[in-house]
């Protein structure tokens, strides 16, 4: 019944308190709680849960896994440089090339962006074609995440080459180009999914 599906008052009160706490993680957790027990359409509920989960991962999960994630990304960027014929060395999350050290800091990680790119393609496909089967969508989400992550790794590698490349790739222009390329990846895979359902 409609009453049975409604969110219990205590749950709404708990979510409200979480939103009032000055913590981004608490607010996103509250959004996940509201989405899980709301009367929204299933697609909207899934997207809200996905957004809350992605934001929690980006704000909490990445920080927890930084000891593994950042050095791994440094090694991946180093591999790109080696393919270009350069000879970098990696020390933890630092890439040494010639007399320069490039640090893979929290904001440099491509994992968070990859998660949001995957969520973006899922949102686009489910919103426009909710009948899309998971067996089609899940591989496209994976490919989108891989594409967005690869763009970020290439950007880190570019920053490690020299001071000029660092200034270009690290500045707003470099961030804009990386975001634009990631958006193109999302649009490409969302379009592929939409065409396959027609």
């Amino acid at each position: 019944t409609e009453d049975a599906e409604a969110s219990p008052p205590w749950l709404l009160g708990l979510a409200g308190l979480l939103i009032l706490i000055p913590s981004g993680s608490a607010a996103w957790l509250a959004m996940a709680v509201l989405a899980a027990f709301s009367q929204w359409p299933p697609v909207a509920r899934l997207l809200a849960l996905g957004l809350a989960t992605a934001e929690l991962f980006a704000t909490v999960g990445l920080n927890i896994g930084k000891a593994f994630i950042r050095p791994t990304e440094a090694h991946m960027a180093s591999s790109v440089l080696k393919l270009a014929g350069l000879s970098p060395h990696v020390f933890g999350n630092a890439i040494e090339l010639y007399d320069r050290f490039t640090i893979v800091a929290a904001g440099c990680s491509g994992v968070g962006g990859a998660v949001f790119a995957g969520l973006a393609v899922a949102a686009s496909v489910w919103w426009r074609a909710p009948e899309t089967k998971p067996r089609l969508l899940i591989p496209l989400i994976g490919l989108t995440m891989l594409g967005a992550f690869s763009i970020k790794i290439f950007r880190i590698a570019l920053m490690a080459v020299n001071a000029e490349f660092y200034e270009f790739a690290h500045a707003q222009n470099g961030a804009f180009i990386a975001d634009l390329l990631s958006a193109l990846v999302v649009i490409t895979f969302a379009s592929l999914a939409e065409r396959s359902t027609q």
Side-chain angles (χ1 to χ4, degrees):
T1 63
E2 186 175 334
D3 290 339
E5 293 176 357
S7 301
W10 66 266
L11 189 62
L12 295 175
L14 174 62
L17 286 174
L18 286 172
I19 290 172
L20 291 175
I21 294 173
S23 164
S25 299
W28 285 105
L29 179 61
M31 181 180 173
V33 170
L34 288 175
F37 293 94
S38 71
Q39 297 183 71
W40 298 345
V43 169
R45 192 182 310 169
L46 280 171
L47 294 178
L49 279 168
L51 179 60
T53 302
E55 185 65 27
L56 281 168
F57 176 76
T59 55
V60 179
L62 283 180
N63 192 49
I64 294 173
K66 64 184 179 182
F68 169 76
I69 293 171
R70 295 180 199 172
T72 300
E73 291 180 320
H75 278 284
M76 290 178 173
S78 174
S79 297
V80 172
L81 293 170
K82 288 177 181 176
L83 287 173
L86 302 174
S87 301
H89 300 281
V90 177
F91 303 93
N93 63 327
I95 303 171
E96 180 190 15
L97 185 61
Y98 307 126
D99 59 344
R100 290 175 44 80
F101 278 89
T102 303
I103 308 297
V104 180
C108 300
S109 177
V111 177
V115 170
F116 282 107
L119 181 62
V121 79
S124 176
V125 173
W126 273 340
W127 204 261
R128 294 174 58 85
E131 70 280 3
T132 304
K133 302 297 183 185
R135 66 174 179 271
L136 169 66
L137 187 56
I138 290 173
L140 289 177
I141 291 173
L143 289 170
T144 302
M145 293 176 68
L146 180 61
F149 182 75
S150 299
I151 290 167
K152 194 72 171 187
I153 293 298
F154 181 79
R155 185 181 174 203
I156 294 171
L158 200 61
M159 285 190 279
V161 173
N162 56 43
E164 290 76 17
F165 281 18
Y166 179 88
E167 289 299 327
F168 172 77
H170 191 263
Q172 290 184 351
N173 288 338
F176 175 76
I177 291 171
D179 289 344
L180 181 61
L181 290 173
S182 294
L184 288 174
V185 170
V186 169
I187 292 169
T188 299
F189 285 115
S191 299
L192 286 174
E194 198 169 325
R195 288 178 186 176
S196 65
T197 58
Q198 292 175 351

